[in-house]
């Protein structure tokens, strides 16, 4: 039986504590040269795609811009379009929010990217949960959870209808006869649904992939169903073997009821890595990176997200605070001390989390900073290049994932060592490509071609 092939993506991080922007080796997170270096390294290593997240508002803590956001959040689709010109094969994936964008604009941008790249575009479909971000769009609030996923599903189906409104053979461009379009009535659409009421003509001819690759990130019941019904790949946080296998079996098991096969959806956990020439050196390197990622100020910021109060007078190298968190503010409404950070919503019971932190600190003799590192600073892969390659291959062959979205702690050069030392070992195992076999991202991921459809689309829901 042939080995499963590993799929790898490279995430250019920024705007979080994974990225050690203060390290002398770190470069700009906004200048194009950084994106060029990162993208071309990933392409040299034959990665499936490069991923850029989206930021619609700078996060705040205590009413001030969160320090790790100060590099800014440039428009990711514009960067991907520029990268299309200096890369040849690697896929170009970006997050575009479904809550605060409109279908035609999203479909037009992504179809354009697919044209410019020769069929390498992908869309990570996300929702937005907080009123804080919504203020940038003058919506005066946020959508409740059921409406967020409804809008995301309708946004995706509407965008797909727009992409499908141009037949693949519509553009003739016959100079001899002077005929440019086969029928001259392509692109017409009419959408009537809970979230959208639009009609007109889509302005971009069908792109090389027909439909860009669709990615979804979410671990909730709604997110899993959305991915199983509509996505080509799903980002997950399950980087441990047993948890990964359980998630893999659950989501893959949902595909059949939507008429889909297991290979139609790729499961890709996010993963960090730290390498060393020996296991001991790798462990020491990882320890140093953890202390870089969680400096004293960052440790206090993490604690404030749980305690929901100003902790500037707390010593990060002292014990975990003995008093309980403030729990009377609503995270969704934006009254929490930390605004715009989805992670604060993970702490359903802040008092219980605080108690857990205190117990860990007392049991292990750890300071507040060391507790934050223990809870938030674990790296997915730590070891020699051979150990990391073996572990990645074991994950994929054991059906814990179909590959990984790798997140380096240094940009733009943090992926270089993985490309040079780990990728060749995966290639030797026969589980990762030595050359690109196709030209489109759908081909890299082993996905079926997009369906070809008719010239006019009418959808009512």
């Amino acid at each position: 039986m042939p080995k499963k092939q590993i799929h790898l993506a490279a995430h250019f991080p920024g705007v979080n504590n994974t990225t050690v922007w203060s390290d002398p080796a770190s470069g700009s997170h906004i200048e194009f040269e950084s994106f060029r270096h990162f993208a071309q390294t990933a392409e040299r290593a034959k990665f499936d795609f490069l991923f850029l997240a989206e930021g619609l508002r700078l996060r705040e803590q205590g009413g001030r811009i969160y320090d790790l956001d100060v590099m800014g959040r440039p428009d990711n689709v514009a960067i991907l379009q520029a990268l299309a010109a200096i890369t040849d094969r690697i896929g170009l994936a970006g997050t575009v929010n479904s809550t605060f964008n409109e279908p035609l604009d999203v479909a037009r941008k992504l179809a354009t990217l697919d044209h410019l790249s020769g069929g390498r575009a992908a869309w990570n479909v996300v929702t937005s949960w907080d009123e804080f971000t919504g203020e940038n769009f003058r919506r005066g609030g946020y959508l409740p959870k059921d409406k967020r996923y409804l809008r995301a599903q309708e946004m995706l189906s509407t965008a797909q209808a727009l992409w499908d409104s141009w037949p693949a053979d519509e553009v003739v461009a016959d100079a001899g006869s002077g005929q440019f379009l086969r029928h001259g009535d392509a692109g017409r659409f009419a959408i009537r649904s809970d979230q959208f009421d639009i009609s007109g003509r889509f302005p971009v001819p069908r792109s090389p992939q027909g439909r860009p690759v669709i990615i979804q990130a979410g671990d909730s019941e709604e997110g899993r169903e959305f991915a199983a019904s509509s996505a080509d790949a799903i980002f997950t946080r399950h980087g441990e073997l047993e948890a990964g296998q359980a998630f893999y079996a659950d989501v893959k098991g949902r595909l059949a009821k939507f008429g889909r096969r297991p290979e139609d959806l790729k499961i890709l956990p996010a993963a960090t890595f730290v390498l060393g020439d020996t296991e001991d050196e790798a462990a020491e390197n990882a320890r140093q990176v953890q202390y870089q990622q969680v400096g004293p100020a960052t440790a206090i910021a993490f604690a404030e997200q749980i305690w929901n109060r100003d902790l500037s007078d707390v010593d990060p190298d002292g014990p975990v605070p003995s008093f309980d968190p403030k729990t009377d503010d609503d995270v969704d409404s934006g009254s929490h001390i930390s605004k715009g950070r989805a992670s604060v919503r993970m702490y359903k019971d802040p008092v219980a989390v605080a108690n857990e932190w205190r117990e860990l600190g007392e049991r292990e003799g750890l300071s507040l900073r060391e507790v934050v590192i223990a809870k938030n600073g674990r790296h997915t892969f730590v070891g020699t290049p051979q150990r990391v390659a073996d572990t990645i291959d074991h994950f994929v062959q054991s059906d814990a994932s179909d590959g990984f979205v790798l997140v380096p702690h240094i940009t733009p050069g943090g992926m270089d060592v993985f490309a040079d030392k780990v990728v060749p070992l995966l290639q030797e195992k026969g589980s990762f490509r030595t050359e690109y076999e196709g030209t489109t991202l759908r081909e890299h991921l082993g996905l079926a071609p997009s369906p070809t459809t008719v010239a006019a689309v009418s959808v009512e829901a």
Side-chain angles (χ1 to χ4, degrees):
M1 182 177 180
K3 295 189 71 174
K4 284 177 62 180
Q5 291 299 293
I6 296 168
H7 298 283
L8 295 177
H11 177 198
F12 187 104
V15 301
N16 55 51
N17 73 300
T18 300
T19 309
V20 184
W21 61 261
S22 59
D23 191 292
S26 286
S28 170
H29 288 89
I30 198 168
E31 293 177 2
F32 184 69
E33 174 58 23
S34 292
F35 295 102
R36 181 205 64 77
H37 180 116
F38 194 81
Q40 292 183 338
T41 297
E43 184 168 64
R44 170 170 62 83
K46 314 303 178 187
F47 277 36
D48 291 64
F49 62 92
L50 161 77
F51 171 63
L52 297 182
E54 176 188 59
L56 297 179
R57 179 166 179 172
L58 292 174
R59 298 170 295 186
E60 295 179 11
Q61 188 129 338
R64 298 176 61 85
I65 293 174
Y66 190 58
D67 284 350
L68 298 175
D69 274 7
V70 294
M71 70 284 292
R73 291 187 161 196
D75 183 83
N76 58 345
V77 176
I79 294 168
L80 294 172
Q81 289 172 343
L83 290 174
I86 53 95
T87 56
D88 296 314
R89 294 293 183 89
I90 192 165
L92 302 169
T95 298
V96 180
N97 190 288
S98 63
T99 306
F100 301 123
N101 285 291
E102 296 300 322
L104 189 137
D105 193 42
V106 172
R108 181 174 58 88
K109 287 181 178 180
L110 292 169
T112 299
L113 175 60
D114 207 48
H115 276 290
L116 293 176
S117 64
R120 296 182 281 136
W123 174 19
N124 180 36
V125 184
V126 303
T127 66
S128 185
W129 55 272
D130 64 321
E131 180 181 353
F132 174 73
T133 300
E135 290 174 353
N136 267 4
F137 296 86
R138 300 185 181 276
R139 287 184 178 269
Y142 59 96
L143 291 174
K145 189 173 184 179
D146 60 331
K147 288 291 186 180
R148 291 202 308 272
Y149 275 98
L150 174 64
R151 183 178 175 87
Q153 189 67 63
E154 290 187 1
M155 168 77 86
L156 175 58
S157 62
T158 299
Q160 290 174 331
L162 299 181
W163 293 325
D164 292 348
S165 65
W166 280 76
D169 63 350
E170 176 63 23
V171 178
V172 178
D174 186 338
S177 67
Q179 182 182 9
F180 190 79
L181 297 179
R182 187 174 302 279
H183 303 105
D185 195 35
R188 192 178 297 281
F189 65 88
I191 309 294
R192 306 281 185 270
S193 67
D194 181 90
Q195 293 290 303
F196 305 110
D197 184 358
I198 58 176
S199 61
R201 196 186 295 275
F202 187 57
V204 184
R206 191 169 180 84
S207 67
Q209 290 187 117
R211 297 177 179 180
V213 168
I214 300 302
I215 303 169
Q216 194 270 339
D219 193 38
S220 66
E221 178 66 20
E222 295 91 343
R224 295 181 187 211
E225 282 290 287
F226 187 13
S229 67
S230 307
D232 300 307
I234 181 171
F235 294 160
T236 85
R237 57 182 176 83
H238 298 289
E240 297 182 354
L241 184 65
E242 291 186 3
Q245 288 174 324
F247 182 87
Y248 191 97
D250 177 76
V251 176
K252 295 275 188 173
R254 299 171 186 244
L255 292 168
K257 68 182 178 182
F258 297 107
R260 307 182 70 198
R261 305 166 300 167
E263 59 266 32
D264 292 337
L265 176 67
K266 307 305 179 187
I267 296 178
L268 305 172
T272 58
F273 61 91
V274 180
L275 303 177
D277 291 336
T278 66
E279 295 298 324
D280 288 343
E281 181 181 277
E284 176 58 24
N285 289 345
R287 189 189 72 82
Q288 292 179 12
V289 171
Q290 288 172 333
Y291 274 85
Q292 284 182 298
Q293 292 173 324
V294 184
T298 300
I300 294 298
F302 268 102
E304 287 180 342
Q305 291 164 21
I306 295 171
W307 267 260
N308 191 22
R309 65 179 73 207
D310 181 4
L311 298 179
S312 58
D313 60 346
V314 172
D315 180 3
D317 293 316
V320 176
S322 59
F323 50 87
D324 283 340
K326 181 182 177 185
T327 59
D328 57 351
D329 286 337
D330 181 7
V331 171
D332 283 352
S333 69
S335 58
H336 196 277
I337 190 174
S338 181
K339 298 183 178 182
R341 290 189 64 88
S343 59
V344 300
R345 304 179 76 241
M346 295 171 57
Y347 306 123
K348 303 297 186 183
D349 186 347
V351 173
V353 174
N355 288 334
E356 183 182 334
W357 283 27
R358 277 192 289 265
E359 290 170 6
L360 176 62
E362 292 170 2
R363 185 175 67 251
E364 303 291 338
L366 303 179
S367 67
L368 172 60
R369 182 185 180 191
E370 290 169 333
V371 168
V372 173
I373 289 172
K375 288 294 185 180
N376 297 281
R378 183 179 179 276
H379 294 283
T380 314
F381 303 121
V382 176
T384 63
Q386 187 66 60
R387 169 66 67 85
V388 171
D390 290 345
T391 305
I392 289 175
D393 191 51
H394 180 60
F395 259 78
V396 173
Q397 306 309 324
S398 301
D399 287 344
S401 75
D402 292 309
F404 290 91
V405 181
L406 295 169
V407 189
H409 67 277
I410 297 292
T411 52
M415 198 62 76
D416 295 16
V417 65
F418 191 96
D420 294 335
K421 294 188 175 182
V422 179
V423 168
L425 298 175
L426 294 174
Q427 292 170 331
E428 287 178 9
K429 291 175 177 291
S431 52
F432 189 67
R433 67 174 67 87
T434 56
E435 294 292 340
Y436 290 109
E437 296 181 2
T439 60
T440 70
L441 179 53
R442 300 192 75 85
E443 290 173 318
H444 301 343
L445 292 170
L447 300 171
S450 296
T452 56
T453 50
V454 297
V457 173
S458 179
V459 176
E460 293 198 18

